[in-house]
Amino acid sequence: MTSEAEPREKLRAAGFRVTRTRLIIGHRLWNGPDSRHVDVAALHTDIQASGEKVSLATIYNTLRDFERAGLIRRIAVASDRIWYDTDTGNHHHFHDMSENRLFDVPGASCEPHSLPEPPDGYRITKVDTLFHLEKVR
Amino acid sequence: MTSEAEPREKLRAAGFRVTRTRLIIGHRLWNGPDSRHVDVAALHTDIQASGEKVSLATIYNTLRDFERAGLIRRIAVASDRIWYDTDTGNHHHFHDMSENRLFDVPGASCEPHSLPEPPDGYRITKVDTLFHLEKVR
DNA sequence: CTCAATGCAAAGTATTTGCAACCGA
DNA sequence: TCGGTTGCAAATACTTTGCATTGAG
């Protein structure tokens, strides 16, 4: 479903130059499971663990750029970190705050919301639905 | 619908001592419109503007305490600030990121979500639904 | 009186910015 | 080569903590 070439194409299609750094990041975003949830620190750790090297600031900047280009999506979470999702469509999330983990509500059961009427002069660009989890017992 | 005495009672009911600081904050939270959305900085500015004085750190701490006690609720927003809502029930929000404004989706039309099945060992404690707004044109 | 509550400053994180060095097209 | 990119350090938030002082019960 994913291929080595995909990040390259995605970058080019979005008008980005294909650079070492963007490939390293794009690789981790798009060559894994279909939907991947990342925060900057974890991605940085990940990259370092694999022996590659990208500065933390650059990861912040690159993910911000990717988001602006619509390649990834920022998720609304009550957390001290920014979370991104590689799935840019509207879908629901579970959030386990105690472990700072975020994952999709499984099943294709994410029926599209019946959107409310936006205030005058505005339009709705995306919807975040977040279910907060707590460990039982 | 709201009265001067309400903050006092709310505090006591939640087991808090009734102090000057908590009254100042509680006053602003519960003596206004039914649902009020605040971020710490704005509340601080507000309090200062009225001639009263509560330190920023204390506002942070107090709101955190109030949230733990269930008096207010933290909202999931993709923002660089913490947002609280005086309405602790599950309801939907509009978020205008360009102005950092947050408000309720009007109408009682906030049909309860059909909750998904939580992962084993977890239960769902609350639901945040956020509609991102963008100015048209 | 006593211990919780507060103010303040300092510490801790998370995120962004400025700019020189670098590199893809 | 040229202008977009990156790394790094420093700057900026935002939020929490530590501790001496205050004040509610």
Side-chain angles (χ1 to χ4, degrees):
Chain A
M1 205 121 297
T2 54
S3 81
E4 284 299 316
E6 202 171 338
R8 254 197 164 74
E9 284 156 17
K10 267 183 141 70
L11 290 174
R12 256 197 282 269
F16 289 111
R17 277 196 191 171
V18 176
T19 64
R20 184 191 71 98
T21 302
R22 289 185 181 138
L23 281 176
I24 291 175
I25 296 175
H27 193 68
R28 276 175 185 66
L29 295 176
W30 301 308
N31 280 354
D34 289 333
S35 185
R36 181 160 281 190
H37 309 93
V38 301
D39 66 280
V40 181
L43 191 55
H44 187 230
T45 303
D46 228 49
I47 288 174
Q48 290 198 311
S50 78
E52 299 176 296
K53 195 157 154 325
V54 178
S55 89
L56 187 60
T58 297
I59 298 181
Y60 271 107
N61 292 336
T62 302
L63 290 181
R64 188 159 29 60
D65 292 343
F66 283 4
E67 193 214 346
R68 287 190 182 135
L71 295 181
I72 56 179
R73 162 183 181 146
R74 183 168 171 183
I75 312 172
V77 187
S79 149
D80 55 349
R81 317 180 186 189
I82 295 179
W83 281 93
Y84 291 106
D85 192 337
T86 58
D87 182 343
T88 57
N90 288 332
H91 60 286
H92 303 177
H93 292 113
F94 283 129
H95 181 215
D96 175 4
M97 172 169 280
S98 68
E99 314 230 340
N100 229 330
R101 279 181 1 102
L102 196 71
F103 44 100
D104 283 350
V105 172
S109 62
C110 298
E111 79 286 3
H113 267 285
S114 60
L115 295 179
E117 195 59 36
D120 245 34
Y122 287 95
R123 66 192 174 80
I124 295 173
T125 55
K126 56 178 184 171
V127 184
D128 273 300
T129 305
L130 193 70
F131 298 93
H132 297 249
L133 297 179
E134 211 160 80
K135 289 207 175 69
V136 174
R137 176 147 334 281
Chain B
M1 204 118 302
T2 54
S3 83
E4 284 299 316
E6 202 173 337
R8 255 197 163 72
E9 284 156 17
K10 269 185 140 67
L11 290 174
R12 256 196 281 270
F16 289 110
R17 279 196 189 170
V18 176
T19 65
R20 185 192 70 98
T21 303
R22 289 185 180 137
L23 280 175
I24 291 176
I25 295 176
H27 192 68
R28 276 176 186 68
L29 295 176
W30 301 308
N31 280 354
D34 288 333
S35 185
R36 181 159 281 191
H37 309 92
V38 301
D39 65 281
V40 181
L43 190 55
H44 186 231
T45 303
D46 228 49
I47 289 174
Q48 291 198 310
S50 79
E52 298 176 296
K53 196 158 153 323
V54 179
S55 89
L56 186 60
T58 297
I59 298 182
Y60 271 107
N61 293 336
T62 302
L63 290 180
R64 189 159 25 63
D65 292 344
F66 283 5
E67 193 214 346
R68 288 190 182 136
L71 294 180
I72 56 178
R73 161 185 181 145
R74 182 166 171 185
I75 313 173
V77 187
S79 150
D80 54 351
R81 314 175 189 196
I82 295 177
W83 281 92
Y84 291 105
D85 191 338
T86 58
D87 180 344
T88 57
N90 288 333
H91 59 285
H92 303 177
H93 292 113
F94 283 130
H95 181 216
D96 174 4
M97 171 168 281
S98 69
E99 313 230 341
N100 229 331
R101 276 177 8 100
L102 196 70
F103 44 100
D104 283 350
V105 171
S109 62
C110 298
E111 78 286 4
H113 266 285
S114 58
L115 295 181
E117 195 58 36
D120 245 37
Y122 287 95
R123 64 193 177 79
I124 295 173
T125 56
K126 55 177 183 171
V127 185
D128 274 300
T129 305
L130 193 72
F131 298 93
H132 297 250
L133 297 179
E134 210 159 81
K135 290 210 176 69
V136 174
R137 176 142 329 283

